[in-house]
Amino acid sequence: MAEPIVFIGDSITELWGFHRAGTFEAYDLIPRGGSGQTARWITMRFRRDLEETGARGVHLLCGVNDIGRNEGFFVPAEEIARTLAGMLDEARALGVKAWIGSIMPAERIPWNPEVQDAPAMIAAVNTWLRDHAHEHGATFIDYHSVLATETGALRPEYGTDGLHLSPAGYAAIEPLMLASLGRIPRPVPAVEAAAPPGKPRPGRLAGIVVAAAAVLAAVAALVLSVR
């Protein structure tokens, strides 16, 4: 049996555990989300959550509330990245395997219209995580690319208010999450058949990979429905 993994984060994690409780139960995942909490606030309970759950793995997902200025002041992307890195370093020091999710896409911060550069801030933090998470012993999971439009907004079919995910949004990223955590096998990319000369098929391979992910999601949903 796989060891439990604790999901530590803000309302995105809290609602994930609520909307997709069957997934968390089926795959031994423990939700520890706190609505409205910034990354700095989460550092204050990070070690306690690890110790109380006894988990040997942690999935960290936070930072958007820092961008939203929930503590009443602007926090640079570099400082958000440092705070996240500090928690990853703490997990490594405790011998806990870590994964860190990208901040979810958002064109604006619903509760703070004064924030005018949310997509750019989100992109800056995510770029840092993609390039440096491994230096802190963690695996980066890019949820943003699954959910975002070309402008960095959350795709309407995946959200409720432009930032928080709907159940469909969580379902869309769960195959990626479960594969990254080793709970399900990763899809094996199919080798594209040779196209006739002059008739390239540039989108075929991408379509196959997306279809494989969709099949995995459907299988997971079926398993959960018969539990």
Side-chain angles (χ1 to χ4, degrees), residues 19-105:
H19 288 305
R20 306 289 293 177
T23 296
F24 277 72
E25 180 183 358
Y27 293 99
D28 297 309
L29 311 176
I30 306 167
R32 284 292 180 99
S35 181
Q37 293 184 348
T38 63
R40 191 180 70 86
W41 287 340
I42 290 171
T43 62
M44 301 177 189
R45 64 175 172 91
F46 184 76
R47 185 178 188 125
R48 184 181 73 244
D49 284 347
L50 294 179
E51 293 175 344
E52 287 180 354
T53 61
R56 303 311 302 164
V58 59
H59 176 284
L60 182 62
L61 178 58
C62 58
V64 72
N65 289 327
D66 303 76
I67 294 171
R69 307 178 191 179
N70 280 26
E71 294 191 57
F73 51 83
F74 170 75
V75 183
E78 295 81 2
E79 185 173 337
I80 297 171
R82 283 195 297 270
T83 302
L84 297 174
M87 285 187 276
L88 299 180
D89 288 340
E90 186 168 11
R92 180 165 57 180
L94 294 170
V96 175
K97 189 173 182 178
W99 294 263
I100 186 161
S102 63
I103 298 177
M104 304 301 185

Side-chain angles (χ1 to χ4, degrees), residues 196-212:
K199 294 184 179 180
R201 300 174 186 172
R204 184 183 177 102
L205 181 56
I208 291 172
V209 173
V210 171

Side-chain angles (χ1 to χ4, degrees), residues 115-131:
V115 179
Q116 300 293 319
D117 58 350
M121 289 278 291
I122 291 169
V125 176
N126 286 343
T127 297
W128 189 94
L129 291 173
R130 184 191 65 226
D131 293 344

Side-chain angles (χ1 to χ4, degrees), residues 175-176 178-180 184-190 208-217:
L176 174 60
L178 292 170
S180 297
I184 62 173
R186 286 187 177 274
V188 178
I208 291 172
V209 173
V210 171
V215 169
L216 285 173

